[in-house]
C-alpha cells in the first residue's frame, strides 16, 4: 500500500496509551469549541507504520546511500556518535526555562562552542540562537542595523551583494528592511572592486559576501573589498556557507569581516535531515557584540554558595543578556540539539579542524583534475568549460555545460539526470546564476580517492551518452523525470480524499 | 612519537602525537595526500592554498584542544550532560508551551535511517520520492488537524511561524487595508515570542498593536473591533495562560473578511478542541513539538504553518505537490518555488531555506501512529491531568486559581501568597520542577505560577504538588499572620 491515507484500520489502531488520570466524561470544553469531526488521519498498527516509513526511506537518497556532490551544501558524512549524544536525556529531556543550576553541563558545552566558533572565525562574540544559515544572516544584518541606529546613522539603508551570492543573502537583508544593491562580478567570476567602489557611499550599511565565492574560488582581493566598504563607513558580512574550505587557513576576521554566520549543518556535520534542522550561529567583532540576540552564555569563577556539580568545579556558567540586544530570533536558545551534535563533531578534530578543510580542498581539486584528465583521455573536453579560470579551487568547483548545450542540446539538468542513473546524487545545477548551464560540484573531505576516481570516469561517460538517452534520463530511479510544471498547474498539496 | 606503527602519517609532519590521529576514521584520504597531490602535479597541501594572500593567512595553529576519539567524546558528553537535571529525573510541572509528551520508540528508530537523516532538500525529485511523499503526507496530516486547505512542510518553530504569518497577512491584505501596515497581537503573547515577531516585522515597517484580554483571561471582544481594517490579528488557543477561549469562534465576524485571523495552536489540543479552520481562522500556526519531538532544550522544534488558499502564493517555506513523471506515474516534487529566495531573491516571501523537515517527519510518524482516535485520547489525557490538578489545587485555601472558571489545556495559573520565584526554589529543594514564574513574562505578576500537566503526569505527582504547595503557602501565610 503506497499511500499513508489508504490505511483505514479499525478505530483506535496505533500505539496503545494508558488511560487518562481522571474520568473524561466531564471535560470542561466551551460548547463552541468541541471538535465536531476528528481529522481524517490514517489508522495504522506499528508494523504497518514501520513498513510505510521504511518503504519511503528506500525511495530516498542520502549521503549514506552514495556520493552526494551537491555544491554549496557540504554533504559530508554525519558521524553517528553525534546522534547518540543528542538523545542523552541531559539534552533531549531538558527545558529552556530550567534555572542555570540545573543545566550547567549544557551551558558548559554552549560556552565551549561559542569560544570555538569565535576562534575559528576570528570573531569576538558568538550567539548560538539562529536556527539556520538564512536566520543567521538575518540576525547579523539586524545587529548591524541596530549598530547604525545607535550611532544615529539612519541613512545607511543599502546592502550590497554580488550577483553570485546565495539567494538568502538578498532575501535576509530585504526582510530586515534594507534596499539591495546587486553588483556584477567580473568576467572571471571574481568580485569587481570598481563596481563596488561605484556603489558604496554614506548610504551603505553592509556588504554580504561569501569567500571562497559560490564559484569555489578564493577572492584574493577580499581585504581590499573590506577596506572599500569600511572606508565608506559600512560593515562587512561573511556568509559562512563555504567556511568548510578555509578553516584554520584563514578566517573572516583576518579578511576584515565584522560579522559572520556559521552553517553548523554544513561545516560541523549536523545532518541535513532532508531540509533541516540546521543551526546558524553568528559571530561578530566586539563593536557589534552588545546587539547580539540574547541571551548568550558567560561564565565567572565559582563563588561560595554555587551548587557544584561534576561540571563546574572552576566556573559557573550562566545566561547573560547583551546590553542592546536585538531580542530574539527564535523563542528559546536556538537548535540546541544541533549545537550539541556539532560540539561532538568539533571535539573529534579539535585543533586539527584545519586538516578537515585541507582534505575538503584536496578532494575538490583532485576531482576537478580527474574530470579534466578523464575527458582529455578521450578527447571530449570541449563538451564542458571550467566555471572559473583558476589553478586551484577551494572546497567546490563549477563546470559550465554551455558548450555541450550548444553542440548537442544537452544542458546541465540532462547531465544531472544522467548522473542519477549512474547511482549518484547530482551536483547543484543552475547556480551560481553567473555561470551558464552551471554544475557545482562539492565532494567534501569524507569521500575516498576511489570514489572520486570512479565519479570522474562516470561523469565523462555521461558526457558521451547519446543525447536522446540523456533527455530521457533517469530510467533506473523509482520514478522517472518528474513534471514540475504539472505540479504547479494542478496543485494537489494534500491527499485528495474524495478522488 | 612512534611513526614506525603509522608510516603513512609521515607525509603530514604536523601530526606529532598519536592523539592527533583520531580523525583517521573520518577522513578516508588521510595519509594519501602525496599520491593525490602528485596526480595534480603539486608538491604540498600548501600549494592548494597558495591563492590565499599572505596578509590574510592564519599563521598560528588553532588554539583548540587535541582531537579526541569517539570513546573520549561520549565519555565527556555523558559527564557534562549527566550533570544536568533532566525533566525525567524529577517530578515536572514546567511547560509554558513546550510539553513533555511521550513519543513512541518507533519514531526515534525510523528517523535515524540514513536515507532520511543524511539527505538534503529534495531538489532532485527522482531520487527523493521518500521524503517528498512523507512531507506531502505531513501537509495532509496538518491540514486535517487544523481544518485548512494548505500547509507547508514546516518553518523553524512556533514563534517564527507566528511572525511569518503576520508578514504574510500584510502582503495579502495591505492593499485594501484601512489600517495599512498594521497588525494586532494578543497582550498575553510572551515577550520572547513578541520579540521574534518584532524582529520579523520591523523591517517591513509593520506596526504591531496590542489586543486586550479580560480579567478572566479571555480575549476582550468589545475592543477587538479596533482591529477590523488592519492586516491581521494573532491570538493563541489555548492562550499562554492555558485558557481555551470560546470567544475566538466569534473573532472572524468582528474583524471582517479583509483582516487575517491568525491562530496559534497547541496541536495536541485539537484532538478535543475544534479545528480553528472550522471557526474561520485564515492562518493557523503553532509549535509542533508535542507531536513527535522531545523538548531538546527548546530546539530543534518545528513550526506549523497552514492557511486558506487566499494566502497560498504569499506563504513562506517549502511546499510539496503531487505530480506525474514522464510515464504518467504518480510522483512528488517541490512546487510554487517562485515564492522562494533561491528564485525570487530579495522579493521572496521569506528568507527561509533550511527548515525543520526531519522534525516534521517525526511529527508525521507520531501522527500516523496515533490515528484520529489516538489523537483524541492523547488530548483527553492531557486535559484530564490538567483538570484533575485544577481540582486538587483549588482545595488548598492558601492559594488561588484566578481563572478557575475557564477551561484549560495543559496549564493554568496559580496565584500564590508569595513570590513564584521563591516557591519554585522551595519546590526545587523538594525534588520538583515546580512550574514557571510568570513575572518573567508579565513583570507585575510576581505571585503567578504557571503549572503544566501532560499525558506523562501521574495522579500521584499531582497529589505531591498539591501537598508541597499547601505546605509552602500555609507556612508563608502563617508567617505573615505571626
Amino acid at each position: 500500500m503506497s499511500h499513508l491515507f489508504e490505511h483505514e484500520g479499525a478505530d483506535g489502531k496505533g500505539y496503545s496509551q494508558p488511560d487518562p488520570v481522571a474520568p473524561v466524561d466531564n471535560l470542561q470544553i466551551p460548547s463552541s469549541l468541541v471538535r465536531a469531526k476528528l481529522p481524517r488521519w490514517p489508522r495504522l498498527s506499528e508494523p504497518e507504520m514501520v513498513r510505510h516509513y521504511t518503504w519511503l526511506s528506500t525511495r530516498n537518497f542520502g549521503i549514506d546511500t552514495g556520493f552526494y556532490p551537491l555544491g554549496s551544501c557540504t554533504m559530508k558524512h554525519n558521524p553517528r556518535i553525534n546522534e547518540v549524544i543528542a538523545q542523552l536525556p541531559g539534552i533531549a529531556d531538558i527545558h529552556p526555562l530550567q534555572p542555570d543550576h540545573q543545566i550547567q553541563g549544557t551551558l558548559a558545552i554552549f560556552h565551549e562552542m561559542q569560544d570555538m566558533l569565535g576562534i575559528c572565525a576570528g570573531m569576538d562574540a558568538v550567539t548560538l540562537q539562529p536556527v539556520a544559515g538564512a536566520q543567521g544572516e538575518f540576525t547579523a544584518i539586524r545587529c548591524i542595523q541596530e549598530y547604525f541606529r545607535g550611532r544615529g546613522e539612519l541613512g545607511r539603508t543599502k546592502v550590497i551583494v554580488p550577483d553570485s551570492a546565495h539567494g538568502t543573502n538578498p532575501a535576509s537583508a530585504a526582510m530586515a528592511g534594507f534596499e539591495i544593491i546587486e553588483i556584477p562580478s567580473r568576467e572571471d567570476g571574481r568580485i569587481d572592486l570598481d563596481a563596488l567602489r561605484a556603489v558604496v557611499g554614506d548610504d551603505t550599511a553592509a556588504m554580504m559576501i561569501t569567500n571562497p565565492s559560490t564559484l569555489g574560488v578564493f577572492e584574493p582581493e577580499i581585504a581590499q573589498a573590506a577596506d572599500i566598504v569600511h572606508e565608506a563607513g559600512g560593515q562587512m558580512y561573511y556568509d559562512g556557507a563555504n567556511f568548510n574550505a578555509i578553516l584554520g587557513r584563514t578566517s573572516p576576521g583576518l579578511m576584515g569581516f565584522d560579522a559572520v554566520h556559521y552553517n553548523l549543518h554544513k561545516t560541523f556535520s549536523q545532518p541535513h535531515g532532508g531540509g533541516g534542522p540546521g543551526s546558524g550561529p553568528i559571530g561578530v567583532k566586539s563593536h557589534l557584540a552588545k546587539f547580539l540576540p540574547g541571551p548568550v552564555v558567560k561564565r565567572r569563577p565559582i563563588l561560595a554558595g554555587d551548587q557544584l556539580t561534576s561540571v563546574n568545579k572552576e566556573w559557573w556558567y550562566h545566561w547573560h543578556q547583551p546590553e542592546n540586544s536585538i531580542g530574539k530570533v527564535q523563542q528559546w536558545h536556538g537548535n540546541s540539539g544541533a549545537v550539541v551534535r556539532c560540539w561532538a563533531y568539533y571535539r573529534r578534530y579539535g585543533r586539527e579542524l584545519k586538516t578537515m578543510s585541507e582534505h575538503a580542498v584536496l578532494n575538490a581539486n583532485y576531482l576537478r583534475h580527474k574530470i579534466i584528465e578523464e575527458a582529455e583521455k578521450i578527447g571530449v573536453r570541449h563538451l564542458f568549460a571550467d566555471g572559473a579560470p583558476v589553478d586551484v579551487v577551494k572546497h567546490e568547483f563549477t563546470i559550465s555545460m554551455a558548450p555541450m548545450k550548444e553542440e548537442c542540446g544537452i544542458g546541465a539538468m540532462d547531465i544531472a539526470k544522467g548522473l542519477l542513473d549512474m547511482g549518484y546524487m547530482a551536483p547543484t545545477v543552475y547556480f551560481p546564476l553567473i555561470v551558464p548551464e552551471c554544475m557545482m560540484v562539492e565532494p567534501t573531505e569524507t569521500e575516498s580517492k576511489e570514489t572520486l576516481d570512479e565519479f570522474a570516469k562516470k561523469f565523462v561517460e555521461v558526457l558521451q551518452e547519446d543525447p536522446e538517452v540523456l533527455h530521457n534520463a533517469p530510467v533506473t530511479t523509482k520514478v522517472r523525470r518528474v513534471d514540475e510544471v504539472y505540479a504547479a498547474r494542478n496543485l494537489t498539496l494534500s491527499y485528495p480524499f474524495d478522488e | 612519537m612512534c611513526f614506525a606503527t603509522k608510516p603513512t602519517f609521515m607525509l603530514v609532519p604536523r601530526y606529532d602525537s598519536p592523539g592527533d590521529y583520531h580523525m583517521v576514521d573520518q577522513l578516508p584520504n588521510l595519509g594519501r595526500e602525496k599520491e593525490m597531490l602528485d596526480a595534480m602535479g603539486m608538491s604540498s597541501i600548501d600549494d592548494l592554498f597558495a591563492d590565499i594572500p599572505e596578509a590574510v593567512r592564519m599563521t598560528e595553529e588553532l588554539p583548540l584542544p587535541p582531537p579526541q576519539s569517539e570513546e573520549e567524546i561520549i565519555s565527556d558528553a555523558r559527564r557534562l550532560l549527566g550533570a544536568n537535571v533532566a525533566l525525567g529525573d524529577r517530578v515536572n510541572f514546567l511547560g509554558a508551551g513546550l510539553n513533555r509528551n511521550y513519543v513512541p520508540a518507533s519514531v526515534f528508530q525510523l528517523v535515524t535511517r540514513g536515507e532520511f537523516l543524511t539527505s538534503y532538500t529534495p531538489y532532485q525529485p527522482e531520487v527523493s520520492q521518500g521524503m517528498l511523499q512523507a512531507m506531502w503526507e505531513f501537509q495532509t496530516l496538518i491540514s486535517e488537524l487544523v481544518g485548512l486547505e494548505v500547509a507547508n512542510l514546516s518553518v523553524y518553530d512556533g514563534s517564527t511561524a507566528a511572525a511569518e504569518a503576520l508578514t504574510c497577512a500584510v502582503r495579502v491584505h495591505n492593499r485594501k487595508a484601512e489600517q495599512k501596515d498594521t497588525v494586532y497581537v494578543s497582550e498575553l503573547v510572551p515577550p520572547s515570542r513578541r520579540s521574534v515577531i518584532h524582529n520579523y516585522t520591523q523591517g517591513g515597517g509593520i506596526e504591531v498593536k496590542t489586543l486586550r484580554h479580560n480579567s478572566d483571561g479571555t480575549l476582550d471582544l468589545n475592543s477587538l473591533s479596533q482591529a477590523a481594517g488592519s492586516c491581521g490579528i494573532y491570538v493563541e488557543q489555548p492562550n499562554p495562560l492555558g485558557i481555551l477561549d470560546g470567544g475566538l469562534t466569534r473573532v472572524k465576524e468582528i474583524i471582517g473578511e479583509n483582516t487575517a485571523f491568525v491562530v496559534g495552536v497547541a496541536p495536541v489540543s485539537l484532538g478535543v478542541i475544534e479545528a480553528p479552520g472550522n471557526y474561520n481562522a485564515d492562518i493557523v500556526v503553532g509549535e509542533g513539538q508535542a507531536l513527535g519531538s522531545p523538548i531538546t532544550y527548546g530546539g530543534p522544534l518545528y513550526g506549523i504553518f497552514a492557511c486558506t488558499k487566499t494566502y497560498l502564493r504569499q506563504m513562506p517555506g517549502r511546499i510539496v505537490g503531487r505530480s506525474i513523471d514522464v510515464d504518467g506515474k504518480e510522483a512528488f516534487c517541490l512546487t510554487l518555488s517562485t515564492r522562494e529566495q533561491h528564485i525570487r531573491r530579495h522579493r521572496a516571501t521569506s528568507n527561509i531555506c533550511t527548515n525543520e523537515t526531519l522534525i516534521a517527519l517525526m511529527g508525521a510518524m507520531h501522527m500516523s501512529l496515533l490515528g484520529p482516535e489516538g489523537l483524541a485520547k492523547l488530548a483527553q489525557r492531557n486535559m484530564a491531568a490538567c483538570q484533575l490538578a485544577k481540582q486538587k489545587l483549588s482545595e488548598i485555601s492558601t492559594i488561588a486559581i484566578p481563572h478557575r472558571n475557564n477551561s484549560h489545556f495543559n496549564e493554568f495559573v496559580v496565584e500564590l501568597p508569595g513570590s513564584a520565584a521563591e516557591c519554585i526554589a522551595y519546590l526545587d529543594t523538594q525534588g520538583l520542577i515546580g512550574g514557571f514564574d510568570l513575572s518573567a513574562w508579565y513583570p507585575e505578576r510576581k505571585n503567578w505560577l504557571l503549572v503544566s500537566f501532560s499525558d506523562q503526569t501521574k495522579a500521584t505527582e499531582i497529589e505531591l504538588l498539591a501537598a508541597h504547595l499547601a505546605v509552602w503557602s500555609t507556612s508563608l501565610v502563617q508567617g505573615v499572620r505571626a
Side-chain angles (χ1 to χ4, degrees):
Chain A
M1 206 178 294
S2 64
H3 275 295
L4 184 67
F5 296 93
E6 288 162 11
H7 291 271
E8 296 171 347
D11 280 11
K13 253 193 175 181
Y15 85 98
S16 66
Q17 303 178 54
D19 286 331
V21 294
V24 294
D25 43 15
N26 67 337
L27 291 180
Q28 302 168 353
I29 304 174
S31 56
S32 60
L33 286 183
V34 174
R35 183 149 190 156
K37 185 171 162 285
L38 285 170
R40 286 174 289 181
W41 284 3
R43 295 185 182 91
L44 287 79
S45 59
E46 181 179 320
E48 294 167 291
M49 176 270 195
V50 168
R51 193 165 286 164
H52 177 71
Y53 284 101
T54 302
W55 176 76
L56 286 179
S57 77
T58 64
R59 298 165 69 79
N60 220 50
F61 192 103
I63 302 166
D64 289 5
T65 318
F67 185 39
Y68 214 121
L70 193 67
S72 196
C73 302
T74 314
M75 298 301 283
K76 63 173 70 178
H77 172 67
N78 306 127
R80 287 311 195 274
I81 188 65
N82 306 0
E83 298 308 307
V84 172
I85 288 172
Q87 296 311 327
L88 293 175
I91 180 65
D93 195 23
I94 59 171
H95 192 291
L97 293 171
Q98 281 179 259
D100 291 351
H101 71 264
Q102 293 183 353
I103 49 157
Q104 286 289 297
T106 298
L107 294 182
I109 286 176
F110 279 26
H111 190 268
E112 187 179 346
M113 281 296 280
Q114 289 176 186
D115 271 4
M116 183 276 290
L117 292 171
I119 285 167
C120 289
M123 293 289 138
D124 301 320
V126 170
T127 172
L128 304 170
Q129 193 179 108
V131 294
Q135 206 185 38
E137 296 170 6
F138 174 73
T139 305
I141 289 295
R142 277 285 295 127
C143 291
I144 289 170
Q145 188 171 43
E146 291 304 322
Y147 167 75
F148 283 127
R149 283 176 182 166
R151 291 163 60 95
E153 298 185 56
L154 303 179
R156 296 198 176 272
T157 55
K158 292 179 181 168
V159 167
I160 301 164
V161 295
D163 57 5
S164 60
H166 296 117
T168 49
N169 290 183
S172 299
M175 251 173 73
F178 287 98
E179 188 184 328
I180 309 303
I181 308 292
E182 192 174 272
I183 56 168
S185 302
R186 292 188 346 186
E187 204 127 288
D188 61 3
R190 281 164 49 184
I191 180 172
D192 186 336
L193 293 183
D194 289 332
L196 178 59
R197 280 190 198 95
V199 297
V200 295
D202 54 13
D203 58 358
T204 302
M207 175 175 199
M208 301 176 84
I209 187 168
T210 181
N211 190 20
S213 73
T214 53
L215 278 76
V217 175
F218 194 84
E219 298 275 10
E221 294 177 314
I222 191 66
Q224 289 88 321
D227 285 344
I228 292 167
V229 172
H230 284 146
E231 275 161 28
Q235 296 280 296
M236 284 293 280
Y237 175 77
Y238 181 84
D239 171 345
N242 296 344
F243 197 43
N244 205 50
I246 58 160
L247 227 159
R249 283 278 174 173
T250 177
S251 75
L254 285 167
M255 294 181 229
F257 286 91
D258 303 288
V260 47
H261 87 258
Y262 310 81
N263 293 95
L264 295 192
H265 47 293
K266 295 180 180 176
T267 317
F268 293 93
S269 89
Q270 157 71 15
H272 286 78
S279 177
I282 68 166
V284 295
K285 291 286 202 184
S286 54
H287 63 282
L288 295 173
K290 64 177 177 179
F291 302 104
L292 286 177
V296 294
V297 180
K298 297 262 189 194
R299 68 180 186 185
R300 58 162 173 78
I302 289 286
L303 300 174
D306 287 342
Q307 295 185 26
L308 298 189
T309 66
S310 59
V311 171
N312 59 352
K313 296 214 160 29
E314 278 178 78
W315 301 100
W316 180 260
Y317 297 91
H318 60 97
W319 285 113
H320 167 84
Q321 186 70 10
E323 192 186 340
N324 296 98
S325 174
I326 62 161
K328 290 249 174 207
V329 292
Q330 192 253 16
Q331 193 180 349
W332 311 106
H333 301 300
N335 278 350
S336 304
V339 170
V340 168
R341 281 180 179 84
C342 298
W343 169 86
Y345 177 80
Y346 124 77
R347 281 291 195 94
R348 182 67 71 101
Y349 287 88
R351 64 187 178 214
E352 291 295 339
L353 278 169
K354 179 178 177 177
T355 310
M356 171 196 88
S357 281
E358 288 172 354
H359 275 251
V361 173
L362 176 69
N363 279 3
N365 279 280
Y366 181 78
L367 180 58
R368 179 176 182 239
H369 175 83
K370 285 306 269 191
I371 286 175
I372 292 169
E373 190 181 75
E374 291 294 333
E376 272 170 358
K377 268 189 205 164
I378 45 171
V380 296
R381 196 176 170 185
H382 67 289
L383 289 177
F384 65 93
D386 252 346
V390 288
D391 294 331
V392 291
V393 293
K394 293 275 85 58
H395 64 305
E396 64 190 1
F397 58 94
T398 52
I399 293 173
S400 169
M401 289 300 148
M404 189 163 180
K405 181 98 178 175
E406 202 158 300
E407 185 171 310
C408 46
I410 297 292
M413 190 59 90
D414 296 309
I415 303 294
K417 301 299 185 194
L419 287 168
L420 299 183
D421 268 339
M422 294 284 193
Y424 296 111
M425 176 51 76
T428 298
V429 288
Y430 301 115
F431 185 83
L433 309 172
I434 58 171
V435 176
E437 292 296 322
C438 187
M439 304 197 81
M440 188 189 208
V441 185
E442 180 181 10
T444 84
E445 69 277 9
T446 59
E447 296 299 333
S448 71
K449 177 179 171 296
E450 287 73 19
T451 299
L452 304 178
D453 287 338
E454 181 75 7
F455 180 77
K457 281 206 183 80
K458 297 286 187 192
F459 184 84
V460 174
E461 268 177 43
V462 172
L463 291 184
Q464 295 170 279
E465 194 57 86
D466 179 347
E468 274 315 300
V469 170
L470 287 183
H471 284 316
N472 231 354
V475 294
T476 62
T477 45
K478 302 287 181 189
V479 297
R480 292 182 54 213
R481 217 177 276 207
V482 179
D483 190 341
E484 296 183 4
V485 175
Y486 180 96
R489 288 199 182 143
N490 303 277
L491 284 176
T492 309
L493 307 178
S494 57
Y495 182 77
F497 290 95
D498 310 323
E499 205 170 74
Chain B
M1 198 184 331
C2 182
F3 282 137
T5 54
K6 292 185 184 334
T8 53
F9 293 110
M10 293 193 67
L11 299 167
V12 195
R14 203 172 57 250
Y15 310 139
D16 56 0
S17 109
D20 286 356
Y21 300 143
H22 287 310
M23 61 285 184
V24 71
D25 56 9
Q26 299 298 309
L27 296 175
N29 298 331
L30 203 64
R32 308 178 74 178
E33 296 87 349
K34 187 168 184 312
E35 188 186 343
M36 295 170 74
L37 289 166
D38 281 350
M40 292 187 277
M42 291 185 189
S43 57
S44 81
I45 292 279
D46 287 341
D47 292 354
L48 293 169
F49 293 88
D51 55 346
I52 300 182
E54 263 179 56
V56 302
R57 280 186 205 163
M58 201 181 276
T59 50
E60 308 282 316
E61 296 291 307
L62 290 168
L64 295 172
Q68 284 184 308
S69 65
E70 178 171 317
E71 291 168 42
E72 291 165 306
I73 297 168
I74 184 88
S75 162
D76 273 0
R78 288 209 168 102
R79 181 179 60 83
L80 287 163
L81 296 174
N84 291 341
V85 175
L87 299 177
D89 298 339
R90 296 281 182 91
V91 178
N92 174 51
F93 301 100
L94 178 60
L98 297 173
N99 277 291
R100 192 169 170 269
N101 289 341
Y102 182 80
V103 178
S106 49
V107 172
F108 294 98
Q109 292 282 309
L110 286 164
V111 81
T112 55
R113 284 191 69 93
E115 300 89 338
F116 290 137
L117 184 75
T118 71
S119 63
Y120 198 74
T121 302
Y123 290 134
Q124 296 290 344
E126 296 83 2
V127 289
S128 312
Q129 286 299 299
M131 191 59 103
L132 284 162
Q133 183 175 334
M135 287 300 105
W136 184 74
E137 291 168 355
F138 171 81
Q139 291 170 188
T140 309
L141 291 161
I142 296 296
S143 271
E144 285 290 315
L145 180 66
V146 305
L148 289 172
E149 295 160 284
V150 184
N152 72 11
L153 58 72
S154 81
V155 292
Y156 305 135
D157 74 338
S159 69
T160 60
E164 295 261 28
L166 290 170
T167 60
C168 176
V170 172
R171 287 192 295 277
V172 169
H173 292 298
N174 211 34
R175 203 171 52 83
K176 286 194 195 162
E178 289 152 33
Q179 301 180 56
K180 300 253 185 257
D181 298 309
T182 304
V183 295
Y184 286 77
V185 171
S186 151
E187 66 176 331
L188 294 179
V189 170
S192 45
R193 270 204 289 287
R194 207 169 241 282
S195 178
V196 174
I197 290 170
H198 168 74
N199 274 315
Y200 272 66
T201 52
Q202 67 90 36
I206 298 167
E207 188 180 354
V208 181
K209 294 187 171 173
T210 300
L211 291 175
R212 299 276 157 227
H213 283 252
N214 301 311
S215 57
D216 71 350
T218 58
L219 187 66
D220 177 359
L221 294 177
N222 293 325
S223 67
L224 181 64
S225 54
Q226 66 176 322
S230 70
C231 294
I233 72 153
Y234 174 66
V235 293
E236 297 179 356
Q237 176 88 295
N239 74 22
L241 305 177
I243 296 167
L244 292 166
D245 189 345
L248 295 197
T249 56
R250 291 175 46 208
V251 164
K252 190 61 184 173
E253 68 195 60
I254 296 170
I255 61 174
E257 204 46 47
N258 201 41
T259 300
F261 176 26
V262 185
V263 182
V265 295
V268 172
S269 70
L270 300 178
V272 288
I273 302 305
E274 187 58 282
N278 294 339
Y279 53 88
N280 300 320
D282 297 298
I283 304 177
V284 173
V285 296
E287 181 45 71
Q289 172 266 327
L291 290 172
S293 171
I295 292 174
T296 320
Y297 201 48
L301 311 168
Y302 66 97
I304 291 169
F305 193 108
C307 57
T308 65
K309 280 194 175 144
T310 308
Y311 302 85
L312 173 61
R313 283 168 203 280
Q314 291 299 333
M315 73 191 284
R318 300 229 140 101
I319 303 171
V320 177
R322 189 175 68 160
S323 185
I324 48 173
D325 74 355
V326 288
D327 295 333
K329 200 162 129 189
E330 179 178 73
F332 300 90
C333 61
L334 295 172
T335 194
L336 297 173
S337 303
T338 50
R339 300 163 297 115
E340 294 187 67
Q341 48 76 29
H342 60 284
I343 305 213
R344 192 58 66 84
R345 298 178 76 86
H346 68 274
R347 281 183 288 273
T349 57
S350 168
N351 69 338
I352 191 168
C353 178
T354 290
N355 46 67
E356 306 294 319
T357 298
L358 198 74
I359 315 300
L361 177 66
M362 294 171 83
M365 290 172 176
H366 192 184
M367 291 183 249
S368 305
L369 264 187
L370 282 170
E373 294 80 16
L375 174 73
K377 182 163 184 185
L378 184 63
Q380 288 166 354
R381 290 171 66 203
N382 277 271
M383 205 162 176
C386 189
Q387 207 165 302
L388 177 65
K390 198 159 73 171
Q391 183 198 325
K392 293 288 176 196
L393 298 194
S394 63
E395 290 164 8
I396 303 169
S397 61
T398 45
I399 62 176
I401 297 172
H403 315 123
R404 64 176 292 185
N405 294 330
N406 279 313
S407 160
H408 290 86
F409 194 86
N410 276 145
E411 44 206 356
F412 59 86
V413 176
V414 177
E415 188 165 9
L416 302 165
S419 111
E422 283 168 24
C423 179
I424 289 169
Y426 167 78
L427 293 171
D428 188 15
T429 64
Q430 303 302 308
L432 275 65
I433 300 175
F436 177 60
D437 169 9
L438 276 170
S439 72
W441 287 355
Y442 318 121
E444 71 284 7
R445 300 294 187 186
K446 296 272 182 274
N447 297 352
W448 274 18
L449 179 71
L450 186 68
V451 282
S452 298
F453 310 87
S454 75
D455 57 281
Q456 293 303 288
T457 310
K458 298 180 180 70
T460 50
E461 295 176 338
I462 292 170
E463 299 282 358
L464 194 65
L465 176 68
H468 283 300
L469 281 178
V471 168
W472 182 81
S473 57
T474 306
S475 72
L476 202 73
V477 170
Q478 285 170 349
V480 169
R481 282 187 196 137

